[in-house]
């Protein structure tokens, strides 16, 4: 069978989106509820009192809190998103149905991986709805300091645009490597609902093992001796490791068995 056919993939996408409709609706409603309650409660100071004369400073911190929470939510979605590959599946029957679909393994893998890509614009829409809701609520309550959280988010990215290119590259490579680890965890661990938890535990264990070989003084000395060329080599190794993770994730997906228990090998 040809590994990728656009028409066949289109039919698979329609089937998947239709079959997983309830999953996407649940995720969107959950994110909408969380962001709306967070924005409204924090910006209206529902859980705190303020002293007279400190309104503007307190309001500024409130919108900063909302901004940090928003950026963190989207970063977590982007990095851990692939671990939700099979979260919409409710049991062995759904997995068996997926494996029997008239499509190549590569097309099935791409569609499952795209779960977080479908959620991302939906989450963005919920953010704007929640932001507009808090704006209207604050206007109706007559609060003096009212603005959109989106303005604060834009200000952050504008301010951070001046960071050195070398730092941006390292941030991207590190994020891509973490993303690939959750991609591997999404297919390696059998538990669809808690794959991200098991992957996070595995990363923490890896970090603990790594730190056990180096003391803090050794780390500081190594950090001071690292050159730009060393950073380039480390970035290349991280990218190669990320590609390996994606390849292993795909190979494990191709070998997935409906009778496995804890892991898919």
């Amino acid at each position: 069978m040809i590994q990728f056919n656009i028409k066949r993939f289109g039919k698979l996408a329609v089937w998947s989106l239709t079959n997983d409709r309830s999953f996407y609706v649940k995720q969107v409603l959950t994110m909408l509820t969380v962001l709306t309650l967070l924005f409204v409660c924090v910006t209206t100071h529902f859980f705190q009192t303020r002293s007279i004369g400190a309104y503007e400073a307190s309001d500024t911190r409130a919108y900063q809190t909302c901004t940090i929470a928003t950026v963190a939510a989207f970063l977590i979605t982007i990095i851990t998103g692939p671990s939700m590959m099979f979260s919409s599946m409710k049991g062995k029957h759904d997995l068996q149905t997926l494996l029997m679909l008239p499509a190549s393994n590569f097309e099935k893998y791409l569609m499952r991986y795209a779960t977080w890509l479908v959620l991302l614009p939906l989450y963005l829409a919920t953010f704007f709805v929640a932001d507009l809701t808090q704006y209207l609520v604050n206007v109706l309550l007559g609060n003096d300091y009212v603005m959109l959280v989106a303005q604060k988010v834009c200000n952050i990215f504008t301010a951070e645009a001046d960071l050195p290119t070398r730092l941006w590259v390292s941030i991207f490579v590190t994020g891509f490597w973490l993303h690939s680890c959750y991609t591997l965890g999404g297919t390696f661990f059998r538990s669809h609902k808690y794959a991200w938890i098991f992957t996070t535990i595995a990363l923490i264990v890896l970090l603990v093992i790594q730190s056990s070989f180096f003391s803090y003084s050794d780390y500081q000395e190594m950090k001071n001796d690292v050159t730009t060329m060393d950073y380039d080599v480390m970035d290349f190794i991280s990218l190669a490791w990320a590609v390996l993770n994606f390849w292993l994730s795909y190979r494990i997906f191709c070998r997935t068995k409906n009778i496995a228990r804890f892991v898919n090998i």
Side-chain angles (χ1 to χ4, degrees):
M1 178 182 290
I2 300 176
Q3 287 298 306
F4 187 82
N5 180 278
I6 188 64
K7 292 184 178 179
R8 188 172 60 214
F9 181 75
K11 294 180 180 178
L12 175 64
V14 172
W15 180 89
S16 298
L17 293 175
T18 302
N19 194 59
D20 299 340
R21 182 174 59 250
S22 60
F23 167 76
Y24 289 117
V25 171
K26 179 181 178 181
Q27 294 298 314
V28 168
L29 291 178
T30 300
M31 180 63 75
L32 178 61
T33 302
V34 171
L35 288 181
T36 301
L37 290 177
L38 175 67
F39 289 176
V40 171
C41 292
V42 172
T43 58
T44 59
H45 305 279
F46 183 79
F47 295 111
Q48 67 184 54
T49 59
R50 296 173 295 176
S51 59
I52 300 175
Y55 285 89
E56 186 173 348
S58 182
D59 287 330
T60 301
R61 288 195 297 269
Y63 281 100
Q64 288 175 347
T65 301
C66 294
T67 302
I68 294 173
T70 300
V71 173
F74 276 90
L75 286 178
I76 291 174
T77 300
I78 293 174
I79 292 176
T80 67
S83 62
M84 296 189 294
M85 279 187 182
F86 307 100
S87 296
S88 60
M89 296 185 177
K90 301 177 181 178
K92 294 182 179 180
H93 175 72
D94 289 344
L95 180 59
Q96 183 178 10
T97 302
L98 174 66
L99 296 175
M100 295 179 63
L101 288 175
S104 67
N105 287 331
F106 182 66
E107 291 166 346
K108 296 173 186 177
Y109 179 81
L110 281 182
M111 193 61 226
R112 300 321 304 177
Y113 171 82
T115 299
W116 73 276
L117 291 173
V118 176
L119 284 173
L120 203 58
L122 297 177
Y123 284 169
L124 185 61
T126 62
F127 162 70
F128 286 120
V129 172
D131 195 13
L132 183 60
T133 301
Q134 70 81 19
Y135 184 86
L136 294 176
V137 169
N138 280 283
V139 169
L140 292 175
L141 291 177
N143 292 334
D144 295 329
Y145 192 85
V146 182
M147 67 179 299
L148 293 172
V149 178
Q151 294 176 252
K152 282 286 187 179
V153 174
C154 292
N155 291 339
I156 284 182
F157 284 102
T158 301
E160 298 299 329
D162 295 332
L163 290 177
T165 304
R166 171 72 261 171
L167 181 58
W168 276 115
V169 172
S170 297
I171 292 175
F172 173 80
V173 170
T174 302
F176 184 68
W177 175 76
L178 288 172
H179 180 84
S180 70
C181 290
Y182 282 96
T183 304
L184 176 59
T187 54
F188 179 76
F189 293 107
R190 187 67 174 176
S191 175
H192 303 154
K193 189 175 182 180
Y194 301 107
W196 68 275
I197 296 179
F198 293 129
T199 306
T200 303
I201 293 174
L203 289 174
I204 293 175
V205 171
L206 179 64
L207 181 63
V208 171
I209 293 175
Q210 181 183 4
S211 63
S212 65
F213 290 98
F214 298 96
S215 64
Y216 181 75
S217 58
D218 293 334
Y219 172 76
Q220 287 297 111
E221 182 179 353
M222 181 180 66
K223 183 179 179 181
N224 294 332
D225 295 337
V226 170
T227 64
T228 303
M229 181 62 70
D230 295 327
Y231 279 116
D232 292 336
V233 172
M234 288 187 290
D235 287 344
F236 177 79
I237 293 175
S238 298
L239 285 174
W241 190 349
V243 172
L244 176 63
N245 285 340
F246 277 103
W247 181 79
L248 289 174
S249 176
Y250 174 67
R251 296 303 302 172
I252 292 174
F253 174 79
C254 293
R255 297 171 61 88
T256 298
K257 298 179 181 179
N258 207 24
I259 58 175
R261 291 189 177 181
F262 185 71
V263 295
N264 286 319
I265 55 176

PDB file of all heavy atoms in Angstrom, residues 201-224:
ATOM      1  N   ILE A 201       7.217  11.405  34.402  1.00  0.00           N
ATOM      2  CA  ILE A 201       7.969  10.653  35.417  1.00  0.00           C
ATOM      3  C   ILE A 201       9.271  10.117  34.824  1.00  0.00           C
ATOM      4  O   ILE A 201      10.340  10.182  35.453  1.00  0.00           O
ATOM      5  CB  ILE A 201       7.116   9.507  35.978  1.00  0.00           C
ATOM      6  CG1 ILE A 201       5.927  10.066  36.769  1.00  0.00           C
ATOM      7  CG2 ILE A 201       7.952   8.586  36.858  1.00  0.00           C
ATOM      8  CD1 ILE A 201       4.954   9.009  37.249  1.00  0.00           C
ATOM      9  N   ALA A 202       9.191   9.609  33.585  1.00  0.00           N
ATOM     10  CA  ALA A 202      10.389   9.083  32.919  1.00  0.00           C
ATOM     11  C   ALA A 202      11.425  10.188  32.707  1.00  0.00           C
ATOM     12  O   ALA A 202      12.629   9.974  32.887  1.00  0.00           O
ATOM     13  CB  ALA A 202      10.009   8.453  31.576  1.00  0.00           C
ATOM     14  N   LEU A 203      10.975  11.384  32.340  1.00  0.00           N
ATOM     15  CA  LEU A 203      11.898  12.510  32.149  1.00  0.00           C
ATOM     16  C   LEU A 203      12.533  12.928  33.469  1.00  0.00           C
ATOM     17  O   LEU A 203      13.727  13.267  33.519  1.00  0.00           O
ATOM     18  CB  LEU A 203      11.157  13.687  31.521  1.00  0.00           C
ATOM     19  CG  LEU A 203      10.752  13.524  30.052  1.00  0.00           C
ATOM     20  CD1 LEU A 203       9.887  14.698  29.598  1.00  0.00           C
ATOM     21  CD2 LEU A 203      11.991  13.427  29.164  1.00  0.00           C
ATOM     22  N   ILE A 204      11.742  12.916  34.548  1.00  0.00           N
ATOM     23  CA  ILE A 204      12.286  13.277  35.865  1.00  0.00           C
ATOM     24  C   ILE A 204      13.333  12.257  36.301  1.00  0.00           C
ATOM     25  O   ILE A 204      14.405  12.616  36.815  1.00  0.00           O
ATOM     26  CB  ILE A 204      11.149  13.367  36.901  1.00  0.00           C
ATOM     27  CG1 ILE A 204      10.226  14.550  36.575  1.00  0.00           C
ATOM     28  CG2 ILE A 204      11.719  13.515  38.308  1.00  0.00           C
ATOM     29  CD1 ILE A 204       9.009  14.643  37.467  1.00  0.00           C
ATOM     30  N   VAL A 205      13.038  10.976  36.085  1.00  0.00           N
ATOM     31  CA  VAL A 205      14.006   9.932  36.428  1.00  0.00           C
ATOM     32  C   VAL A 205      15.283  10.103  35.616  1.00  0.00           C
ATOM     33  O   VAL A 205      16.401   9.967  36.145  1.00  0.00           O
ATOM     34  CB  VAL A 205      13.391   8.533  36.185  1.00  0.00           C
ATOM     35  CG1 VAL A 205      14.454   7.444  36.327  1.00  0.00           C
ATOM     36  CG2 VAL A 205      12.241   8.281  37.152  1.00  0.00           C
ATOM     37  N   LEU A 206      15.144  10.419  34.318  1.00  0.00           N
ATOM     38  CA  LEU A 206      16.310  10.650  33.465  1.00  0.00           C
ATOM     39  C   LEU A 206      17.132  11.824  33.974  1.00  0.00           C
ATOM     40  O   LEU A 206      18.373  11.773  33.998  1.00  0.00           O
ATOM     41  CB  LEU A 206      15.856  10.903  32.026  1.00  0.00           C
ATOM     42  CG  LEU A 206      16.960  11.184  30.995  1.00  0.00           C
ATOM     43  CD1 LEU A 206      17.859   9.964  30.845  1.00  0.00           C
ATOM     44  CD2 LEU A 206      16.354  11.554  29.651  1.00  0.00           C
ATOM     45  N   LEU A 207      16.453  12.884  34.419  1.00  0.00           N
ATOM     46  CA  LEU A 207      17.144  14.054  34.948  1.00  0.00           C
ATOM     47  C   LEU A 207      17.864  13.730  36.252  1.00  0.00           C
ATOM     48  O   LEU A 207      19.002  14.173  36.477  1.00  0.00           O
ATOM     49  CB  LEU A 207      16.144  15.190  35.170  1.00  0.00           C
ATOM     50  CG  LEU A 207      16.714  16.513  35.703  1.00  0.00           C
ATOM     51  CD1 LEU A 207      17.700  17.106  34.709  1.00  0.00           C
ATOM     52  CD2 LEU A 207      15.583  17.499  35.968  1.00  0.00           C
ATOM     53  N   VAL A 208      17.229  12.938  37.107  1.00  0.00           N
ATOM     54  CA  VAL A 208      17.853  12.548  38.383  1.00  0.00           C
ATOM     55  C   VAL A 208      19.088  11.690  38.135  1.00  0.00           C
ATOM     56  O   VAL A 208      20.142  11.882  38.768  1.00  0.00           O
ATOM     57  CB  VAL A 208      16.844  11.791  39.266  1.00  0.00           C
ATOM     58  CG1 VAL A 208      17.538  11.184  40.480  1.00  0.00           C
ATOM     59  CG2 VAL A 208      15.720  12.724  39.707  1.00  0.00           C
ATOM     60  N   ILE A 209      18.984  10.754  37.191  1.00  0.00           N
ATOM     61  CA  ILE A 209      20.127   9.896  36.870  1.00  0.00           C
ATOM     62  C   ILE A 209      21.280  10.728  36.319  1.00  0.00           C
ATOM     63  O   ILE A 209      22.444  10.531  36.673  1.00  0.00           O
ATOM     64  CB  ILE A 209      19.711   8.805  35.859  1.00  0.00           C
ATOM     65  CG1 ILE A 209      18.715   7.841  36.505  1.00  0.00           C
ATOM     66  CG2 ILE A 209      20.935   8.049  35.355  1.00  0.00           C
ATOM     67  CD1 ILE A 209      18.163   6.809  35.548  1.00  0.00           C
ATOM     68  N   GLN A 210      20.934  11.679  35.452  1.00  0.00           N
ATOM     69  CA  GLN A 210      21.965  12.533  34.874  1.00  0.00           C
ATOM     70  C   GLN A 210      22.641  13.388  35.938  1.00  0.00           C
ATOM     71  O   GLN A 210      23.862  13.543  35.954  1.00  0.00           O
ATOM     72  CB  GLN A 210      21.361  13.422  33.793  1.00  0.00           C
ATOM     73  CG  GLN A 210      22.371  14.343  33.114  1.00  0.00           C
ATOM     74  CD  GLN A 210      21.719  15.261  32.106  1.00  0.00           C
ATOM     75  OE1 GLN A 210      20.504  15.274  31.946  1.00  0.00           O
ATOM     76  NE2 GLN A 210      22.535  16.041  31.404  1.00  0.00           N
ATOM     77  N   SER A 211      21.839  13.954  36.844  1.00  0.00           N
ATOM     78  CA  SER A 211      22.391  14.826  37.883  1.00  0.00           C
ATOM     79  C   SER A 211      23.239  14.046  38.891  1.00  0.00           C
ATOM     80  O   SER A 211      24.118  14.617  39.541  1.00  0.00           O
ATOM     81  CB  SER A 211      21.267  15.560  38.604  1.00  0.00           C
ATOM     82  OG  SER A 211      20.410  14.644  39.269  1.00  0.00           O
ATOM     83  N   SER A 212      22.982  12.752  39.015  1.00  0.00           N
ATOM     84  CA  SER A 212      23.751  11.947  39.961  1.00  0.00           C
ATOM     85  C   SER A 212      25.204  11.781  39.528  1.00  0.00           C
ATOM     86  O   SER A 212      26.076  11.490  40.344  1.00  0.00           O
ATOM     87  CB  SER A 212      23.108  10.566  40.135  1.00  0.00           C
ATOM     88  OG  SER A 212      23.161   9.834  38.918  1.00  0.00           O
ATOM     89  N   PHE A 213      25.485  11.973  38.238  1.00  0.00           N
ATOM     90  CA  PHE A 213      26.843  11.842  37.733  1.00  0.00           C
ATOM     91  C   PHE A 213      27.622  13.157  37.817  1.00  0.00           C
ATOM     92  O   PHE A 213      28.829  13.179  37.619  1.00  0.00           O
ATOM     93  CB  PHE A 213      26.829  11.363  36.279  1.00  0.00           C
ATOM     94  CG  PHE A 213      26.384   9.948  36.109  1.00  0.00           C
ATOM     95  CD1 PHE A 213      25.078   9.654  35.749  1.00  0.00           C
ATOM     96  CD2 PHE A 213      27.250   8.894  36.339  1.00  0.00           C
ATOM     97  CE1 PHE A 213      24.656   8.351  35.588  1.00  0.00           C
ATOM     98  CE2 PHE A 213      26.844   7.580  36.183  1.00  0.00           C
ATOM     99  CZ  PHE A 213      25.546   7.302  35.816  1.00  0.00           C
ATOM    100  N   PHE A 214      26.904  14.272  38.073  1.00  0.00           N
ATOM    101  CA  PHE A 214      27.568  15.570  38.132  1.00  0.00           C
ATOM    102  C   PHE A 214      27.165  16.290  39.415  1.00  0.00           C
ATOM    103  O   PHE A 214      25.983  16.355  39.745  1.00  0.00           O
ATOM    104  CB  PHE A 214      27.184  16.453  36.929  1.00  0.00           C
ATOM    105  CG  PHE A 214      27.591  15.873  35.604  1.00  0.00           C
ATOM    106  CD1 PHE A 214      26.675  15.142  34.851  1.00  0.00           C
ATOM    107  CD2 PHE A 214      28.875  16.055  35.119  1.00  0.00           C
ATOM    108  CE1 PHE A 214      27.046  14.605  33.629  1.00  0.00           C
ATOM    109  CE2 PHE A 214      29.245  15.523  33.894  1.00  0.00           C
ATOM    110  CZ  PHE A 214      28.335  14.790  33.152  1.00  0.00           C
ATOM    111  N   SER A 215      28.150  16.825  40.133  1.00  0.00           N
ATOM    112  CA  SER A 215      27.866  17.674  41.276  1.00  0.00           C
ATOM    113  C   SER A 215      27.579  19.081  40.783  1.00  0.00           C
ATOM    114  O   SER A 215      27.822  19.418  39.625  1.00  0.00           O
ATOM    115  CB  SER A 215      29.057  17.689  42.243  1.00  0.00           C
ATOM    116  OG  SER A 215      30.190  18.268  41.613  1.00  0.00           O
ATOM    117  N   TYR A 216      27.074  19.943  41.678  1.00  0.00           N
ATOM    118  CA  TYR A 216      26.756  21.319  41.288  1.00  0.00           C
ATOM    119  C   TYR A 216      28.011  22.069  40.861  1.00  0.00           C
ATOM    120  O   TYR A 216      27.990  22.839  39.897  1.00  0.00           O
ATOM    121  CB  TYR A 216      26.075  22.047  42.446  1.00  0.00           C
ATOM    122  CG  TYR A 216      25.691  23.466  42.120  1.00  0.00           C
ATOM    123  CD1 TYR A 216      24.600  23.752  41.305  1.00  0.00           C
ATOM    124  CD2 TYR A 216      26.446  24.536  42.621  1.00  0.00           C
ATOM    125  CE1 TYR A 216      24.248  25.062  41.000  1.00  0.00           C
ATOM    126  CE2 TYR A 216      26.107  25.842  42.324  1.00  0.00           C
ATOM    127  CZ  TYR A 216      25.002  26.099  41.512  1.00  0.00           C
ATOM    128  OH  TYR A 216      24.663  27.391  41.210  1.00  0.00           O
ATOM    129  N   SER A 217      29.137  21.835  41.560  1.00  0.00           N
ATOM    130  CA  SER A 217      30.391  22.512  41.204  1.00  0.00           C
ATOM    131  C   SER A 217      30.891  22.061  39.842  1.00  0.00           C
ATOM    132  O   SER A 217      31.399  22.863  39.062  1.00  0.00           O
ATOM    133  CB  SER A 217      31.448  22.242  42.271  1.00  0.00           C
ATOM    134  OG  SER A 217      31.675  20.845  42.416  1.00  0.00           O
ATOM    135  N   ASP A 218      30.739  20.750  39.549  1.00  0.00           N
ATOM    136  CA  ASP A 218      31.131  20.246  38.231  1.00  0.00           C
ATOM    137  C   ASP A 218      30.286  20.875  37.139  1.00  0.00           C
ATOM    138  O   ASP A 218      30.781  21.207  36.056  1.00  0.00           O
ATOM    139  CB  ASP A 218      30.997  18.724  38.174  1.00  0.00           C
ATOM    140  CG  ASP A 218      31.989  18.026  39.095  1.00  0.00           C
ATOM    141  OD1 ASP A 218      33.054  18.635  39.368  1.00  0.00           O
ATOM    142  OD2 ASP A 218      31.691  16.908  39.527  1.00  0.00           O
ATOM    143  N   TYR A 219      29.004  21.033  37.421  1.00  0.00           N
ATOM    144  CA  TYR A 219      28.105  21.633  36.439  1.00  0.00           C
ATOM    145  C   TYR A 219      28.475  23.090  36.178  1.00  0.00           C
ATOM    146  O   TYR A 219      28.503  23.541  35.030  1.00  0.00           O
ATOM    147  CB  TYR A 219      26.661  21.532  36.931  1.00  0.00           C
ATOM    148  CG  TYR A 219      25.670  22.291  36.063  1.00  0.00           C
ATOM    149  CD1 TYR A 219      25.271  21.797  34.836  1.00  0.00           C
ATOM    150  CD2 TYR A 219      25.154  23.522  36.500  1.00  0.00           C
ATOM    151  CE1 TYR A 219      24.379  22.497  34.041  1.00  0.00           C
ATOM    152  CE2 TYR A 219      24.267  24.227  35.712  1.00  0.00           C
ATOM    153  CZ  TYR A 219      23.873  23.700  34.482  1.00  0.00           C
ATOM    154  OH  TYR A 219      23.001  24.417  33.705  1.00  0.00           O
ATOM    155  N   GLN A 220      28.794  23.839  37.249  1.00  0.00           N
ATOM    156  CA  GLN A 220      29.177  25.243  37.091  1.00  0.00           C
ATOM    157  C   GLN A 220      30.479  25.372  36.311  1.00  0.00           C
ATOM    158  O   GLN A 220      30.622  26.245  35.449  1.00  0.00           O
ATOM    159  CB  GLN A 220      29.323  25.901  38.465  1.00  0.00           C
ATOM    160  CG  GLN A 220      28.000  26.165  39.171  1.00  0.00           C
ATOM    161  CD  GLN A 220      27.129  27.142  38.411  1.00  0.00           C
ATOM    162  OE1 GLN A 220      26.091  26.783  37.867  1.00  0.00           O
ATOM    163  NE2 GLN A 220      27.543  28.391  38.354  1.00  0.00           N
ATOM    164  N   GLU A 221      31.439  24.490  36.605  1.00  0.00           N
ATOM    165  CA  GLU A 221      32.712  24.529  35.887  1.00  0.00           C
ATOM    166  C   GLU A 221      32.529  24.189  34.416  1.00  0.00           C
ATOM    167  O   GLU A 221      33.116  24.832  33.540  1.00  0.00           O
ATOM    168  CB  GLU A 221      33.688  23.548  36.542  1.00  0.00           C
ATOM    169  CG  GLU A 221      35.071  23.548  35.906  1.00  0.00           C
ATOM    170  CD  GLU A 221      36.017  22.580  36.614  1.00  0.00           C
ATOM    171  OE1 GLU A 221      35.626  22.035  37.658  1.00  0.00           O
ATOM    172  OE2 GLU A 221      37.129  22.379  36.097  1.00  0.00           O
ATOM    173  N   MET A 222      31.700  23.186  34.148  1.00  0.00           N
ATOM    174  CA  MET A 222      31.441  22.800  32.761  1.00  0.00           C
ATOM    175  C   MET A 222      30.712  23.916  32.025  1.00  0.00           C
ATOM    176  O   MET A 222      30.997  24.204  30.863  1.00  0.00           O
ATOM    177  CB  MET A 222      30.614  21.512  32.727  1.00  0.00           C
ATOM    178  CG  MET A 222      30.297  21.009  31.313  1.00  0.00           C
ATOM    179  SD  MET A 222      29.321  19.493  31.346  1.00  0.00           S
ATOM    180  CE  MET A 222      27.784  20.107  32.063  1.00  0.00           C
ATOM    181  N   LYS A 223      29.777  24.578  32.715  1.00  0.00           N
ATOM    182  CA  LYS A 223      29.012  25.662  32.107  1.00  0.00           C
ATOM    183  C   LYS A 223      29.908  26.832  31.727  1.00  0.00           C
ATOM    184  O   LYS A 223      29.737  27.450  30.680  1.00  0.00           O
ATOM    185  CB  LYS A 223      27.912  26.119  33.070  1.00  0.00           C
ATOM    186  CG  LYS A 223      27.014  27.209  32.507  1.00  0.00           C
ATOM    187  CD  LYS A 223      25.941  27.581  33.513  1.00  0.00           C
ATOM    188  CE  LYS A 223      25.046  28.696  32.954  1.00  0.00           C
ATOM    189  NZ  LYS A 223      23.997  29.085  33.941  1.00  0.00           N
ATOM    190  N   ASN A 224      30.896  27.134  32.575  1.00  0.00           N
ATOM    191  CA  ASN A 224      31.799  28.251  32.310  1.00  0.00           C
ATOM    192  C   ASN A 224      32.752  27.955  31.161  1.00  0.00           C
ATOM    193  O   ASN A 224      33.225  28.883  30.487  1.00  0.00           O
ATOM    194  CB  ASN A 224      32.602  28.593  33.573  1.00  0.00           C
ATOM    195  CG  ASN A 224      31.722  29.126  34.689  1.00  0.00           C
ATOM    196  OD1 ASN A 224      30.679  29.723  34.436  1.00  0.00           O
ATOM    197  ND2 ASN A 224      32.125  28.887  35.936  1.00  0.00           N
TER     198      ASN A 224
END
